Amino acid sequence: MKKYDYLIVGAGLFGCVFAHEATKAGKKCLVIDKRPHIGGNIYTENKDGINIHVYGAHIFHTSNQKVWQYVNQFITFNNFVNSPIARYKDELYNLPFNMNTFSKMWGVVTPKQAQAKIAEQIAELNIGEPKNLEEQGLKLVGKDVFEKLVKGYTEKQWGKPCSELPSFIIKRLPVRFTYDNNYFNDRYQGIAEGGYTTLAEKLLQGVEVKLECDYFEFKKSCPDIAAKTVYTGMIDEYFNYCYGELEYRSLRFETERLEEENYQGNAVVNYTEREVPFTRIIEHKHFEKAQSPVTYITREYPATWKKGDEPYYPVNNERNDGLYAKYKELADKEGNVIFGGRLGQYKYYDMDKVIAAALDCVEKELN
């Protein structure tokens, strides 16, 4: 007899939702994670009354009513609206690119004037079919917006000059000709009150969890512990990199406690100059309007991923997508293993999309 119906590898959102639903349906689950905490990258910890987003800002946004109702069973969300600021040298601009951005940049007042300015800059460049990201960006928004607000930030994110990046990375750039600083268009958005760790705890209530547990070591000592495995780790690692390594981008976070009440006046400030080594500074207290005489800020540094580092973003280019397709073929033949989540499916997922994917997956599995 197997001891568990499901061994769930990874206590991130996908694993937590799957475990919750399977347990509710009477299945016995064991969740393991190599980190010392649950929640994966949505993990938050409270310091001085401020919930710190340990692995970078997580702003919940969705237009999927089913997902919104689902998460609201466990926690409440505040009415936080993401309105980041872009800082280029000592100039500050609103994001996403909108009339406030264009008014500050060129002194224009009406949408017509802004559209004319962008069109004039694009015409002067005379770019045919864009051969790289730089040409694609210039063709979409013109020289001023691209050079001040896109180029340096993108080069930091990807660790390469824009002229060496494929154009498809920015097929479009959101440009709005309204005075609207709301970054997302989704109907529902906010921050989990009390931190996202609470969501993970509620989802895993009544589920057995084993932390600081490496799956590959665990499998050696307990090979037949469960009838099925739900695997949310790196798909290429699962198959021992037999076709080679998939590429990821990594991140490094530097969090600092400051003896002041308000450091930057906004939750998210992007630093768009190439010379500034970090991409953004998060000031956590602004997510929940936390009252505290101190503040915590996190600088986010993009990094080249190498084996052993934490993988954050899949690099979905032609080479990697081809490689993933080969791993996916192997995954489809693994009868008793379900591959899910960002790393198991080599796909960038927002939080709501992970939850939707986990709900779909567990529904198919249990029916």
Side-chain angles (χ1 to χ4, degrees):
M1 284 292 288
K2 308 281 186 189
K3 196 175 173 193
Y4 299 95
D5 296 299
Y6 295 101
L7 169 65
I8 296 162
V9 183
L13 260 182
F14 192 99
C16 287
V17 169
F18 192 102
H20 180 84
E21 293 303 308
T23 303
K24 205 166 73 175
K27 303 295 181 187
K28 195 157 191 252
C29 299
L30 171 65
V31 175
I32 65 170
D33 200 292
K34 63 182 179 185
R35 287 175 175 172
H37 59 74
I38 59 170
N41 289 348
I42 66 165
Y43 174 67
T44 50
E45 52 186 41
N46 192 286
K47 290 180 177 176
D48 295 301
I50 300 165
N51 288 309
I52 313 293
H53 295 218
V54 175
Y55 301 97
H58 282 78
I59 298 147
F60 197 91
H61 59 98
T62 188
S63 292
N64 184 329
Q65 193 175 10
K66 180 186 167 188
V67 167
W68 182 244
Q69 286 170 342
Y70 184 79
V71 287
N72 275 275
Q73 297 174 88
F74 307 103
I75 44 168
T76 53
F77 286 81
N78 66 13
N79 60 352
F80 178 84
V81 168
N82 190 26
S83 307
I85 300 290
R87 180 171 174 170
Y88 175 79
K89 301 189 190 295
D90 283 330
E91 299 168 24
L92 298 177
Y93 295 98
N94 290 102
L95 292 176
F97 313 136
N98 67 60
M99 284 303 298
N100 290 311
T101 321
F102 309 139
S103 175
K104 175 83 184 277
M105 197 168 277
W106 303 309
V108 296
V109 178
T110 67
K112 206 176 201 174
Q113 289 171 330
Q115 284 165 323
K117 187 76 181 167
I118 291 171
E120 177 195 320
Q121 290 197 356
I122 293 169
E124 280 170 9
L125 293 161
N126 198 22
I127 295 167
E129 185 59 36
K131 292 188 281 293
N132 52 50
L133 188 147
E134 179 138 347
E135 290 185 356
Q136 177 74 70
L138 288 165
K139 195 170 180 176
L140 286 169
V141 290
K143 193 167 182 281
D144 292 349
V145 174
F146 179 76
E147 294 199 339
K148 286 188 174 186
L149 304 181
V150 180
K151 184 178 164 80
Y153 190 87
T154 307
E155 290 183 343
K156 286 189 282 193
Q157 263 190 322
W158 294 97
K160 287 179 182 173
C162 285
S163 56
E164 290 176 20
L165 289 165
S167 58
F168 71 78
I169 291 176
I170 50 166
K171 282 180 184 143
R172 56 187 188 84
L173 283 167
V175 175
R176 295 181 192 162
F177 295 98
T178 57
Y179 289 90
D180 177 11
N181 298 326
N182 182 349
Y183 196 79
F184 301 117
N185 288 315
D186 289 307
R187 180 170 181 182
Y188 310 107
Q189 51 188 304
I191 298 283
E193 289 182 348
Y196 290 102
T197 302
T198 308
L199 172 60
E201 286 166 352
K202 296 267 181 76
L203 285 164
L204 292 176
Q205 225 158 22
V207 179
E208 204 178 320
V209 178
K210 192 173 165 62
L211 298 173
E212 296 184 271
C213 176
D214 178 86
Y215 167 65
F216 299 101
E217 291 303 313
F218 185 71
K219 194 169 66 163
K220 284 177 200 167
S221 53
C222 309
D224 301 314
I225 198 162
K228 273 195 166 182
T229 298
V230 177
Y231 179 82
T232 70
M234 290 156 55
I235 190 169
D236 52 347
E237 185 180 19
Y238 181 89
F239 292 108
N240 200 23
Y241 308 103
C242 64
Y243 294 129
E245 289 173 24
L246 287 163
E247 265 183 288
Y248 300 88
R249 287 294 287 164
S250 196
L251 294 169
R252 181 169 63 83
F253 302 101
E254 256 178 26
T255 299
E256 194 182 344
R257 180 185 193 267
L258 300 175
E259 299 294 325
E260 57 185 290
E261 207 170 323
N262 183 2
Y263 174 74
Q264 64 185 16
N266 204 47
V268 183
V269 177
N270 289 359
Y271 284 73
T272 62
E273 276 175 274
R274 184 70 183 91
E275 294 68 31
V276 177
F278 46 86
T279 46
R280 55 184 181 170
I281 294 181
I282 308 300
E283 188 169 9
H284 301 270
K285 74 187 319 180
H286 297 301
F287 288 130
E288 296 181 70
K289 296 188 171 74
Q291 300 302 305
S292 175
V294 299
T295 193
Y296 284 82
I297 62 166
T298 298
R299 293 180 186 85
E300 201 171 293
Y301 296 83
T304 304
W305 178 87
K306 58 185 188 308
K307 216 189 274 189
D309 293 345
E310 198 59 53
Y312 283 93
Y313 301 106
V315 181
N316 291 115
N317 58 23
E318 210 174 308
R319 177 217 170 248
N320 288 309
D321 289 348
L323 196 52
Y324 168 68
K326 289 165 83 171
Y327 282 120
K328 171 84 166 69
E329 219 172 290
L330 290 181
D332 292 341
K333 290 174 189 159
E334 291 278 296
N336 294 327
V337 184
I338 296 163
F339 291 82
R342 192 170 38 95
L343 304 177
Q345 295 176 328
Y346 197 66
K347 185 177 183 179
Y348 181 77
Y349 272 124
D350 282 325
M351 284 186 282
D352 64 322
K353 303 292 190 298
V354 176
I355 291 166
L359 288 172
D360 284 349
C361 177
V362 76
E363 199 178 312
K364 278 183 199 139
E365 177 63 19
L366 298 175
N367 291 338

